[in-house]
Amino acid sequence: MRSSAWLLAALLSSACGGAPSPQPAAQRLPPAPAPAQPRVVPVVPVAPAPASASDPGCAATLAYFGAVRSAAGQAAPDLGTLRTAYHDTALQRLVQSSDAATGRSDDATVTAAIAATGPGAFVAAEYALHAALSQWMRHNLKLAAEDKDAGKRAAAWSAARCAWEQDLRPLALALQSRSGELSSETGSEDATIAAQIDAAFAAGAAAVAATPVDERALLPAHETAEKTWFRVVHRELAAAASKARADADVVAARRAAGLFQMLRDRLQDRNTPGIALVEAQLAGDPAKIDAAAVLREVDVALVKRARKYCSHALDAKLTTTPLGLASVAEGAAYTRAFLPGMRAALTAKKFDAAAHLATWQAFAEAVEHGDDADELKKLSEELVHWNCAYQQALGIRECTASADEQPAK
């Protein structure tokens, strides 16, 4: 039986020391302070990654992905190059295939964006394409995890890896390149984020190639890849929104708006009113964007989603199962996304971020082995405690995993 604990250990590589004991809930804390305003580094071209370049299904799109990366890396990006790389090419057909599979209309969005003009038009079109490929990646990760046909699962995993390596990975590399400019704690967490996702994709590729498919490795790899990708988007959204305000930068605002589209469905049914609030912020005067308010709306949704996985493996009796391992991986990866806000908001409660991540790792090991029910319950309660503490700090009235926020009256 193959262990998947190493995958979560890699995700939680910044954890150290023991975790604090649960404490009674304190009075509501003020919202987290506004994030720092790190410099937004343009995405630069990167060489195609060998794993996806060798896949026949991905090969047809490589030249077009390369053209998009090359155009985006220019000091003055040419929207015409993007039009040529997309219109009536294998890249457009890939997005159209994604629309057919998911019921979305990303092709129409990208087509309209590349036909637009004005300040920030290139970035708006570029990020519309990134958003479309993000959905394609996520769709295929889900298909690989859930389909019953081994051949289809392997093909889906390869398609997801193509979208990651050929289109989305440069955003993670841009985040890594700024890690030294961020706070020492946040920067160190994200300094290897591309490698973390690479490792998840490598683990999943090996799992779908096994006979039978190695569910214990595949399911956690799916959740780790997808939710760590959300962390990339969360960090880049914070940076772009902050730069837009600091410099009254229309291009940065367009980038932030495009990034938010990759997280938009995470707010649906958890913080549905927050969608309109964020989109209004990012579509208005860049100098008036409140990055802290934007991230607050995102974190409200993500912390609720993470709450389920603080106890799901225990509640649903999933210990020792692939679904239990995936559940913990999902909760830990979501938590890593909002950890900077959690750390800032819970300072007065003596929250220790590294110890919290260590608790997630210990919970993963307890779920994997399932031989100490008391320890499993204790670890779960501690995860719930700190998740609920952050919900309280965000102003959520009752700690929840599923209740939607209500519109302000």
Side-chain angles (χ1 to χ4, degrees), residues 319-320 364-373 376:
T319 54
T320 76
E365 293 169 359
V367 168
E368 180 168 19
H369 300 295
D371 53 4
D372 191 336
L376 188 68

Side-chain angles (χ1 to χ4, degrees), residues 134-169:
S134 176
Q135 290 294 334
W136 178 239
M137 179 185 75
R138 291 174 56 197
H139 168 75
N140 280 285
L141 287 173
K142 181 177 173 62
L143 186 63
E146 297 180 357
D147 202 280
K148 301 303 181 184
D149 184 287
K152 290 180 180 179
R153 298 177 87 173
W157 192 266
S158 184
R161 197 173 194 177
C162 179
W164 159 246
E165 291 183 337
Q166 300 300 331
D167 184 68
L168 303 174
R169 191 172 187 269

Side-chain angles (χ1 to χ4, degrees), residues 77 118-124 126-127 240 243-244 248-257 286:
F122 181 91
V123 164
E126 177 195 1
Y127 278 79
K243 178 173 172 51
D249 188 334
V250 173
V251 173
R254 290 290 186 92
R255 181 178 290 111

Side-chain angles (χ1 to χ4, degrees), residues 278-306:
V278 172
E279 290 181 337
Q281 280 259 344
L282 300 180
D285 181 353
K288 295 181 180 179
I289 290 175
D290 185 341
V294 168
L295 291 185
R296 187 256 173 202
E297 299 301 332
V298 174
D299 281 8
V300 164
L302 298 190
V303 73
K304 289 181 180 182
R305 291 183 180 276

Side-chain angles (χ1 to χ4, degrees), residues 171-195:
L171 276 71
L173 295 176
L175 172 59
Q176 288 185 180
S177 73
R178 294 200 326 277
S179 62
E181 302 172 17
L182 306 177
S183 70
S184 58
E185 289 182 323
T186 302
S188 65
E189 288 166 7
D190 300 331
T192 61
I193 196 166

Side-chain angles (χ1 to χ4, degrees), residues 58-339:
C58 189
T61 63
L62 295 183
Y64 306 106
F65 278 128
V68 173
R69 288 195 301 269
S70 180
Q74 301 301 311
D78 178 14
L79 193 54
T81 302
L82 190 55
R83 294 188 189 105
T84 301
Y86 187 75
H87 181 64
D88 199 24
T89 68
L91 186 55
Q92 183 176 30
R93 289 189 284 277
L94 188 155
V95 174
Q96 290 170 338
S97 296
S98 177
D99 283 350
T102 63
R104 292 173 58 87
S105 55
D106 287 318
D107 177 53
T109 301
V110 174
T111 299
I114 62 176
T117 58
F122 181 91
V123 164
E126 177 195 1
Y127 278 79
L129 182 57
H130 290 327
L133 271 296
S134 176
Q135 290 294 334
W136 178 239
M137 179 185 75
R138 291 174 56 197
H139 168 75
N140 280 285
L141 287 173
K142 181 177 173 62
L143 186 63
E146 297 180 357
D147 202 280
K148 301 303 181 184
D149 184 287
K152 290 180 180 179
R153 298 177 87 173
W157 192 266
S158 184
R161 197 173 194 177
C162 179
W164 159 246
E165 291 183 337
Q166 300 300 331
D167 184 68
L168 303 174
R169 191 172 187 269
L171 276 71
L173 295 176
L175 172 59
Q176 288 185 180
S177 73
R178 294 200 326 277
S179 62
E181 302 172 17
L182 306 177
S183 70
S184 58
E185 289 182 323
T186 302
S188 65
E189 288 166 7
D190 300 331
T192 61
I193 196 166
Q196 293 168 30
I197 300 176
D198 287 342
F201 271 106
V208 294
T211 305
V213 172
D214 185 354
E215 307 284 353
R216 292 175 66 83
L218 177 61
L219 271 58
H222 160 217
E223 301 300 349
T224 299
E226 182 180 52
K227 276 62 181 188
T228 307
W229 164 242
F230 290 155
R231 174 155 58 103
V232 173
V233 179
H234 187 282
R235 300 291 190 271
E236 291 294 279
L237 174 59
S242 295
K243 178 173 172 51
R245 179 179 180 123
D247 300 338
D249 188 334
V250 173
V251 173
R254 290 290 186 92
R255 181 178 290 111
L259 286 159
F260 177 67
Q261 292 308 307
M262 302 179 210
L263 289 174
R264 189 182 192 277
D265 69 344
R266 298 298 81 195
L267 277 68
Q268 187 68 44
D269 300 325
R270 299 300 188 281
N271 186 18
T272 304
I275 295 173
L277 295 174
V278 172
E279 290 181 337
Q281 280 259 344
L282 300 180
D285 181 353
K288 295 181 180 179
I289 290 175
D290 185 341
V294 168
L295 291 185
R296 187 256 173 202
E297 299 301 332
V298 174
D299 281 8
V300 164
L302 298 190
V303 73
K304 289 181 180 182
R305 291 183 180 276
R307 167 59 190 89
K308 173 182 176 180
Y309 304 108
C310 294
S311 61
H312 181 234
L314 184 63
D315 297 339
K317 297 180 173 55
L318 296 175
T319 54
T320 76
T321 70
L323 288 173
L325 297 174
S327 174
V328 181
E330 186 167 6
Y334 266 134
T335 299
R336 285 293 293 274
F338 56 75
L339 193 64

